[in-house]
Amino acid sequence: KEMEQQQGTKSEGEEKKERKLNKIIILPGNGCTNVKDANWYYYLEQELQKVVGSDVQVILRNMPDPIRARRSFWIPFIVDELKADEQTLLIGHSSGAQAALRTAEDYKLFGIVVVSPCVTDLGVKDERKSGYYPPSGGEWSYDKMRENVPKQYRLVVASDNDEFIPASEIVTVARELEAEGTDRFLYYE
């Protein structure tokens, strides 16, 4: 609800424009062929729907190419099929976090929550082929992400016992999104 109450001001003499959240899309990690049975995604969908009520649509869908999670499949699906736009909050975990970050490079969004994001392919061949990571995926454009997603709606969530993503990778994302050292960087020990 707090997000819905945030208002931005236009230039002098113009009316205030209210930022409105109308959709939350949960993006899973790769390997989830049935997202409702994987990790905590279905639980989050149900809890979010209770909190936001019928005014905000909460979407949890099986993704195309769920094993490899290739950018060339996921980003068009997020934008064209799920209709992510500037009234959408993307919540991405693992590969879903990478998809949320890359989407934020090219599209204005209401906000992003990235859980266990990373900045490299971690030396994993299939991750390298996903198209998210430099060099094949291009350098990260954090300046575009910061431009397309308001600062107060960029959140990074991580845990110190993540067995897949090193803390240094997560801290880099938090720093680049200007969330490090704020209440928008949640690091659980």
Side-chain angles (χ1 to χ4, degrees), residues 84-180:
D85 60 21
E86 56 191 75
Q87 294 181 321
T88 303
L89 171 67
L90 295 181
I91 300 175
H93 170 240
S94 192
S95 294
Q98 305 318 111
L101 292 169
R102 288 299 188 176
T103 302
E105 287 179 338
D106 295 324
Y107 300 94
K108 290 194 177 297
L109 298 167
F110 185 90
I112 57 173
V113 176
V114 290
V115 182
S116 296
C118 57
V119 294
T120 69
D121 61 29
L122 305 171
V124 178
K125 182 180 170 185
D126 282 342
E127 292 294 336
R128 190 172 307 114
K129 291 179 180 179
S130 69
Y132 293 111
Y133 307 98
S136 65
E139 292 303 314
W140 292 102
S141 298
Y142 293 105
D143 55 334
K144 290 181 183 177
M145 292 178 216
R146 291 188 298 266
E147 183 180 311
N148 287 332
V149 180
K151 187 173 188 172
Q152 68 269 30
Y153 303 130
R154 291 183 242 139
L155 176 67
V156 179
V157 181
S159 171
D160 72 344
N161 65 357
D162 189 318
E163 58 189 75
F164 300 108
I165 313 297
S168 60
E169 298 259 337
I170 298 164
V171 169
T172 297
V173 174
R175 184 183 61 247
E176 294 293 342
L177 291 179
E178 298 176 352
E180 185 182 33

Side-chain angles (χ1 to χ4, degrees), residues 15 25 30 36 57 64 67 73 80 83 94 116 158 163 182:
E15 296 179 29
I25 301 173
N30 66 344
K36 304 253 184 203
Q57 183 181 16
I67 304 303
F73 288 85
D80 299 333
K83 306 291 185 200
S94 192
S116 296
E163 58 189 75
T182 72

